[in-house]
Amino acid sequence: MVSIESSREQWGSKIGFILAAAGGAIGLGNIWKFPYVMGQNGGAAFIAVYLLCVLIIGLPILIAEVLMGRTAQRNPVGTFKALTKNKMWRAVGGMGVVAGFVILSFYGVVAGWSFGYIIEAIKGSFFDYATPSAAGEHFNELTQNVYWITGLLGLFMGLTMMIVYFGINKGIERGSKIMMPVLFVLLLIMMFKGLSLEGAEEGLEFLFIPNWSKLTGLSVLEALGHAFFTLSLGMGAMMTYGSYMSKKDNVITASAQIVALDTLIALVAGVAILTAIFSTGQNPAEGPGLIFHTLPIVFTKMTGGYIFSIIFFILLSLAALTSSISLLEVVTSYFVDEKGMQRHKAVLLFGTVAFLCGVPSALSFNILSDTKIFGLNFFDLANFLASNIFLPLGGLFISIFVAYVWGFDKALIELKKGAEEIFEKRFWEIKFWKIVIKYFCPVLIFLVLLHSIGVLTMIINLFQ
Ligand code: PHE
């Protein structure tokens, strides 16, 4: 393993790792998905459960994933291979590769919308809307156009492939360093604009005063699933980032910083969008089109809105790119490291496969809108399966693996590298992590998953 370690490219600096991993985590999940899922699930109560999930499940699993990756210095399948002889566990890494395709298939569609909206912003389309509802109508019109939606999906996947094709360290690290702070500042400006709009209080009430009666079992599942999705957990993406991390760096603080950045961005985006929704009298439970129905209106009300709108959609597209890169990277590194494929070939082949998987999702908004599986169209199905089934299941296995297969004896030796101070002065943090990984994560995730397939209700009914 020594030879693998020493030959593996590493992040240029500690902050490079944090920014790159945060860049991978921060994406459409924070800005597109969080506001609409939260809007559909009643706001404040959902946010509370989501924050709990992020803290007590997301952060511990992130630490576990990064640690596994840093220890093995391989792709997810190779990581399981290096840490145990039991071949069964490779399937968990393999599941991550499948999850990568599933996520890319709908992620690319939404990222394509974002690309398309750069052009709409440049054309100044938003300023032509007579009423707020015209924004939604325009969005529906665009997504109904098969060429627009698949063409942009193709463009996005092509760009993702290009970046992965040319290697990992340079592009991603450099890009994230500049882009992320700019995106953050822009979101802050938009949040303040949202807060200043007439009727913003109603949005704030929705965001901060919980109405627990609106919380259903399904919302809890959505909150957990979203915690996984937004932190890129449960499919090996973070293992891959960890595999480029130096053993001198502190896995615990780096993970906490990634979680903090990701959560902050989601909350700021949430406030910006929900205040605007209420002030323009729109419906927060609109679904996946939510930000495209709202933000254009916000821009028309801002000084400099024309320029801001262009910059915003460029940054959103770039944020989506840094995430999709990490998705394609998981798939590629698997075939390169484990199957001996040439990197360039793997990128071209699997990027194309990911594009093809995305086509049915893109067509869900037009010609395939009536094709439903389990009552969901392709887009919604991929979205649901990835966040609510694949990723939590991956997390479940990762926690079981660390606690019971790899074992804390070995894990703690690795965790200590770079984190000596925490081990000496704040050992309770380590104890907490162990307890959570050993008991909380497996049990909680299992219960939520059980609920998701309706088994729990069945059992309860049996005993009533
Ligand atoms: N976390 C990314 C986002 O919020 C999505 C993602 C999920 C990326 C899983 C990689 C793996 O947009």
Side-chain angles (χ1 to χ4, degrees), residues 358-435:
V359 172
S361 282
L363 299 183
S364 301
F365 292 86
N366 34 70
I367 48 181
L368 292 183
S369 61
D370 291 329
T371 310
K372 305 250 160 103
I373 305 167
F374 306 122
L376 299 172
N377 63 30
F378 283 109
F379 179 93
D380 292 334
L381 185 68
N383 194 347
F384 181 87
L385 278 180
S387 305
N388 300 350
I389 310 280
F390 276 124
L391 300 184
L393 202 59
L396 174 75
F397 285 126
I398 287 166
S399 55
I400 293 176
F401 180 81
V402 170
Y404 304 98
V405 181
W406 188 23
F408 285 120
D409 290 346
K410 289 189 199 133
L412 290 194
I413 295 175
E414 290 298 326
L415 188 61
K416 194 171 179 182
K417 293 178 185 162
E420 288 82 5
E421 207 193 316
I422 296 180
F423 273 72
E424 278 156 28
K425 295 196 184 125
R426 302 198 303 274
F427 196 71
W428 60 268
E429 284 183 26
I430 312 293
K431 276 197 188 143
F432 179 71
W433 179 72
K434 273 174 68 177
I435 293 174

Side-chain angles (χ1 to χ4, degrees), residues 24-30 103 107 228-233 235 237 262 323-324 326-327 391:
I26 295 166
L28 296 173
N30 309 62
I103 298 175
Y107 206 83
F228 274 93
F229 183 78
T230 190
L231 293 172
S232 306
L233 292 179
M235 52 86 61
D262 188 83
S323 298
S324 65
S326 73
L327 287 162
L391 300 184

Side-chain angles (χ1 to χ4, degrees), residues 16-97:
F17 166 75
I18 292 165
L19 284 181
I26 295 166
L28 296 173
N30 309 62
I31 298 165
W32 157 74
K33 194 166 177 184
F34 177 68
Y36 96 73
V37 176
M38 179 246 288
Q40 280 176 331
N41 287 281
F46 176 86
I47 299 183
V49 180
Y50 158 76
L51 288 178
L52 261 178
C53 289
V54 163
L55 261 185
I56 59 172
I57 298 182
L59 177 59
I61 292 190
L62 178 60
I63 295 175
E65 265 203 61
V66 174
L67 181 68
M68 285 174 69
R70 187 180 71 163
T71 305
Q73 314 256 322
R74 314 250 191 108
N75 69 81
V77 175
T79 296
F80 283 103
K81 228 185 203 174
L83 300 181
T84 175
K85 287 200 186 71
N86 189 335
K87 288 195 175 148
M88 243 170 54
W89 286 96
R90 290 177 203 172
V92 179
M95 201 172 78
V97 175

Side-chain angles (χ1 to χ4, degrees), residues 9 27 36 126 142 150 209 216 265 267 276 286 297 340-342 367 373 396 405 411 417 446 463:
E9 212 178 345
Y36 96 73
F126 310 151
L142 290 170
T150 38
I209 303 178
T216 61
I265 297 244
L267 291 176
E286 192 64 61
I297 311 284
M341 256 178 111
Q342 269 179 323
I367 48 181
I373 305 167
L396 174 75
V405 181
K417 293 178 185 162
F446 183 70
F463 286 99

